mmCIF file of all heavy atoms in Angstrom:
data_model
loop_
_atom_site.group_PDB
_atom_site.id
_atom_site.type_symbol
_atom_site.label_atom_id
_atom_site.label_comp_id
_atom_site.label_asym_id
_atom_site.label_seq_id
_atom_site.Cartn_x
_atom_site.Cartn_y
_atom_site.Cartn_z
ATOM 1 N N PHE C 2 88.565 99.859 85.874
ATOM 2 C CA PHE C 2 87.185 99.880 86.355
ATOM 3 C C PHE C 2 86.554 101.225 86.037
ATOM 4 O O PHE C 2 87.209 102.258 86.157
ATOM 5 C CB PHE C 2 87.144 99.634 87.867
ATOM 6 C CG PHE C 2 87.759 98.330 88.272
ATOM 7 C CD1 PHE C 2 88.992 98.304 88.901
ATOM 8 C CD2 PHE C 2 87.124 97.130 87.991
ATOM 9 C CE1 PHE C 2 89.580 97.105 89.266
ATOM 10 C CE2 PHE C 2 87.707 95.926 88.351
ATOM 11 C CZ PHE C 2 88.921 95.909 88.987
ATOM 12 N N PRO C 3 85.286 101.240 85.657
ATOM 13 C CA PRO C 3 84.633 102.515 85.328
ATOM 14 C C PRO C 3 84.586 103.450 86.539
ATOM 15 O O PRO C 3 84.362 103.014 87.660
ATOM 16 C CB PRO C 3 83.223 102.116 84.908
ATOM 17 C CG PRO C 3 83.191 100.634 84.847
ATOM 18 C CD PRO C 3 84.409 100.102 85.518
ATOM 19 N N ASP C 4 84.806 104.711 86.293
ATOM 20 C CA ASP C 4 84.732 105.761 87.314
ATOM 21 C C ASP C 4 85.670 105.545 88.496
ATOM 22 O O ASP C 4 85.397 105.995 89.605
ATOM 23 C CB ASP C 4 83.292 105.943 87.812
ATOM 24 C CG ASP C 4 82.378 106.444 86.706
ATOM 25 O OD1 ASP C 4 82.837 107.266 85.890
ATOM 26 O OD2 ASP C 4 81.217 106.004 86.654
ATOM 27 N N VAL C 5 86.792 104.871 88.281
ATOM 28 C CA VAL C 5 87.834 104.726 89.305
ATOM 29 C C VAL C 5 89.124 105.267 88.697
ATOM 30 O O VAL C 5 89.454 104.968 87.551
ATOM 31 C CB VAL C 5 88.012 103.263 89.750
ATOM 32 C CG1 VAL C 5 89.172 103.137 90.730
ATOM 33 C CG2 VAL C 5 86.737 102.728 90.375
ATOM 34 N N PHE C 6 89.828 106.082 89.481
ATOM 35 C CA PHE C 6 91.041 106.738 89.009
ATOM 36 C C PHE C 6 92.140 106.569 90.042
ATOM 37 O O PHE C 6 91.881 106.429 91.227
ATOM 38 C CB PHE C 6 90.773 108.226 88.754
ATOM 39 C CG PHE C 6 89.684 108.442 87.758
ATOM 40 C CD1 PHE C 6 88.361 108.548 88.168
ATOM 41 C CD2 PHE C 6 89.959 108.487 86.415
ATOM 42 C CE1 PHE C 6 87.338 108.711 87.252
ATOM 43 C CE2 PHE C 6 88.951 108.650 85.488
ATOM 44 C CZ PHE C 6 87.638 108.760 85.912
ATOM 45 N N HIS C 7 93.376 106.576 89.583
ATOM 46 C CA HIS C 7 94.542 106.483 90.453
ATOM 47 C C HIS C 7 95.224 107.843 90.483
ATOM 48 O O HIS C 7 95.372 108.483 89.446
ATOM 49 C CB HIS C 7 95.533 105.441 89.928
ATOM 50 C CG HIS C 7 94.958 104.080 89.780
ATOM 51 N ND1 HIS C 7 94.654 103.275 90.858
ATOM 52 C CD2 HIS C 7 94.618 103.375 88.687
ATOM 53 C CE1 HIS C 7 94.154 102.133 90.428
ATOM 54 N NE2 HIS C 7 94.125 102.173 89.116
ATOM 55 N N VAL C 8 95.643 108.265 91.666
ATOM 56 C CA VAL C 8 96.415 109.493 91.827
ATOM 57 C C VAL C 8 97.778 109.083 92.354
ATOM 58 O O VAL C 8 97.875 108.322 93.320
ATOM 59 C CB VAL C 8 95.725 110.470 92.803
ATOM 60 C CG1 VAL C 8 96.592 111.705 93.023
ATOM 61 C CG2 VAL C 8 94.353 110.871 92.277
ATOM 62 N N GLY C 9 98.835 109.562 91.713
ATOM 63 C CA GLY C 9 100.181 109.187 92.135
ATOM 64 C C GLY C 9 101.158 110.337 92.014
ATOM 65 O O GLY C 9 100.923 111.289 91.290
ATOM 66 N N ILE C 10 102.242 110.212 92.742
ATOM 67 C CA ILE C 10 103.333 111.189 92.706
ATOM 68 C C ILE C 10 104.544 110.452 92.157
ATOM 69 O O ILE C 10 104.986 109.462 92.727
ATOM 70 C CB ILE C 10 103.594 111.734 94.122
ATOM 71 C CG1 ILE C 10 102.314 112.396 94.635
ATOM 72 C CG2 ILE C 10 104.757 112.713 94.120
ATOM 73 C CD1 ILE C 10 102.163 112.343 96.114
ATOM 74 N N LEU C 11 105.050 110.928 91.009
ATOM 75 C CA LEU C 11 106.054 110.179 90.262
ATOM 76 C C LEU C 11 107.359 110.943 90.094
ATOM 77 O O LEU C 11 107.361 112.141 89.840
ATOM 78 C CB LEU C 11 105.520 109.839 88.868
ATOM 79 C CG LEU C 11 104.170 109.135 88.803
ATOM 80 C CD1 LEU C 11 103.747 108.963 87.359
ATOM 81 C CD2 LEU C 11 104.236 107.809 89.507
ATOM 82 N N ARG C 12 108.453 110.192 90.190
ATOM 83 C CA ARG C 12 109.786 110.715 89.866
ATOM 84 C C ARG C 12 110.057 110.514 88.385
ATOM 85 O O ARG C 12 109.277 109.897 87.679
ATOM 86 C CB ARG C 12 110.840 109.962 90.665
ATOM 87 C CG ARG C 12 110.815 110.242 92.115
ATOM 88 C CD ARG C 12 112.015 109.583 92.763
ATOM 89 N NE ARG C 12 111.798 109.533 94.199
ATOM 90 C CZ ARG C 12 112.133 108.527 94.961
ATOM 91 N NH1 ARG C 12 112.721 107.470 94.458
ATOM 92 N NH2 ARG C 12 111.901 108.565 96.244
ATOM 93 N N GLU C 13 111.222 110.946 87.981
ATOM 94 C CA GLU C 13 111.598 110.877 86.565
ATOM 95 C C GLU C 13 111.533 109.464 86.002
ATOM 96 O O GLU C 13 111.132 109.258 84.877
ATOM 97 C CB GLU C 13 113.003 111.438 86.375
ATOM 98 C CG GLU C 13 113.413 111.492 84.929
ATOM 99 C CD GLU C 13 114.714 112.235 84.737
ATOM 100 O OE1 GLU C 13 115.270 112.761 85.699
ATOM 101 O OE2 GLU C 13 115.171 112.272 83.592
ATOM 102 N N ALA C 14 111.927 108.473 86.768
ATOM 103 C CA ALA C 14 111.936 107.098 86.282
ATOM 104 C C ALA C 14 110.530 106.510 86.203
ATOM 105 O O ALA C 14 110.366 105.365 85.822
ATOM 106 C CB ALA C 14 112.811 106.233 87.185
ATOM 107 N N GLY C 15 109.516 107.289 86.561
ATOM 108 C CA GLY C 15 108.152 106.789 86.525
ATOM 109 C C GLY C 15 107.761 106.010 87.764
ATOM 110 O O GLY C 15 106.696 105.432 87.838
ATOM 111 N N GLU C 16 108.664 106.022 88.774
ATOM 112 C CA GLU C 16 108.351 105.289 89.996
ATOM 113 C C GLU C 16 107.567 106.195 90.941
ATOM 114 O O GLU C 16 107.785 107.396 91.025
ATOM 115 C CB GLU C 16 109.627 104.789 90.663
ATOM 116 C CG GLU C 16 110.574 105.887 91.033
ATOM 117 C CD GLU C 16 111.978 105.406 91.315
ATOM 118 O OE1 GLU C 16 112.454 104.514 90.606
ATOM 119 O OE2 GLU C 16 112.587 105.936 92.234
ATOM 120 N N SER C 17 106.660 105.588 91.661
ATOM 121 C CA SER C 17 105.823 106.316 92.599
ATOM 122 C C SER C 17 106.615 106.609 93.866
ATOM 123 O O SER C 17 107.314 105.755 94.375
ATOM 124 C CB SER C 17 104.587 105.479 92.929
ATOM 125 O OG SER C 17 103.786 106.139 93.867
ATOM 126 N N VAL C 18 106.484 107.824 94.386
ATOM 127 C CA VAL C 18 107.148 108.179 95.634
ATOM 128 C C VAL C 18 106.159 108.202 96.796
ATOM 129 O O VAL C 18 106.526 108.486 97.912
ATOM 130 C CB VAL C 18 107.874 109.548 95.541
ATOM 131 C CG1 VAL C 18 108.980 109.482 94.518
ATOM 132 C CG2 VAL C 18 106.919 110.662 95.262
ATOM 133 N N ALA C 19 104.922 107.929 96.513
ATOM 134 C CA ALA C 19 103.889 107.861 97.552
ATOM 135 C C ALA C 19 102.898 106.786 97.140
ATOM 136 O O ALA C 19 102.846 106.382 95.982
ATOM 137 C CB ALA C 19 103.186 109.200 97.700
ATOM 138 N N SER C 20 102.126 106.344 98.090
ATOM 139 C CA SER C 20 101.119 105.328 97.775
ATOM 140 C C SER C 20 100.178 105.844 96.706
ATOM 141 O O SER C 20 99.889 107.033 96.641
ATOM 142 C CB SER C 20 100.301 104.996 99.020
ATOM 143 O OG SER C 20 101.121 104.475 100.024
ATOM 144 N N ARG C 21 99.715 104.939 95.902
ATOM 145 C CA ARG C 21 98.734 105.379 94.914
ATOM 146 C C ARG C 21 97.367 105.365 95.585
ATOM 147 O O ARG C 21 97.109 104.592 96.500
ATOM 148 C CB ARG C 21 98.780 104.507 93.677
ATOM 149 C CG ARG C 21 98.124 103.177 93.809
ATOM 150 C CD ARG C 21 98.120 102.495 92.444
ATOM 151 N NE ARG C 21 97.232 101.371 92.492
ATOM 152 C CZ ARG C 21 97.552 100.159 92.103
ATOM 153 N NH1 ARG C 21 98.748 99.917 91.616
ATOM 154 N NH2 ARG C 21 96.676 99.193 92.177
ATOM 155 N N TYR C 22 96.544 106.251 95.146
ATOM 156 C CA TYR C 22 95.219 106.408 95.720
ATOM 157 C C TYR C 22 94.188 106.018 94.676
ATOM 158 O O TYR C 22 94.276 106.464 93.538
ATOM 159 C CB TYR C 22 94.995 107.865 96.140
ATOM 160 C CG TYR C 22 96.062 108.386 97.067
ATOM 161 C CD1 TYR C 22 97.220 108.972 96.578
ATOM 162 C CD2 TYR C 22 95.923 108.252 98.438
ATOM 163 C CE1 TYR C 22 98.199 109.439 97.431
ATOM 164 C CE2 TYR C 22 96.909 108.718 99.304
ATOM 165 C CZ TYR C 22 98.034 109.312 98.793
ATOM 166 O OH TYR C 22 99.011 109.772 99.634
ATOM 167 N N GLU C 23 93.229 105.192 95.047
ATOM 168 C CA GLU C 23 92.144 104.824 94.143
ATOM 169 C C GLU C 23 90.929 105.650 94.531
ATOM 170 O O GLU C 23 90.418 105.543 95.641
ATOM 171 C CB GLU C 23 91.865 103.332 94.227
ATOM 172 C CG GLU C 23 93.033 102.517 93.708
ATOM 173 C CD GLU C 23 92.767 101.024 93.701
ATOM 174 O OE1 GLU C 23 91.695 100.593 94.121
ATOM 175 O OE2 GLU C 23 93.669 100.297 93.266
ATOM 176 N N ILE C 24 90.512 106.491 93.620
ATOM 177 C CA ILE C 24 89.456 107.463 93.889
ATOM 178 C C ILE C 24 88.302 107.226 92.924
ATOM 179 O O ILE C 24 88.520 107.050 91.728
ATOM 180 C CB ILE C 24 89.985 108.901 93.664
ATOM 181 C CG1 ILE C 24 91.279 109.141 94.435
ATOM 182 C CG2 ILE C 24 88.930 109.934 94.003
ATOM 183 C CD1 ILE C 24 91.144 109.086 95.917
ATOM 184 N N THR C 25 87.096 107.239 93.450
ATOM 185 C CA THR C 25 85.928 107.182 92.573
ATOM 186 C C THR C 25 85.540 108.615 92.236
ATOM 187 O O THR C 25 85.600 109.488 93.092
ATOM 188 C CB THR C 25 84.748 106.453 93.251
ATOM 189 O OG1 THR C 25 84.466 107.093 94.491
ATOM 190 C CG2 THR C 25 85.069 104.996 93.487
#
C-alpha cells in the first residue's frame, strides 16, 4: 500500500522477534 511501511525486529533466520508495526 502506498505510504505504509512495516517496522520489524529480525533474527538471523529472518524471523521477527516482535510484532510488526504498520506505520504511515
Side-chain angles (χ1 to χ4, degrees):
F2 301 107
D4 295 323
V5 176
F6 302 90
H7 302 288
V8 176
I10 300 151
L11 307 176
R12 291 187 196 141
E13 184 172 357
E16 59 197 39
S17 178
V18 296
S20 299
R21 77 174 193 231
Y22 305 88
E23 294 183 358
I24 308 295
T25 55

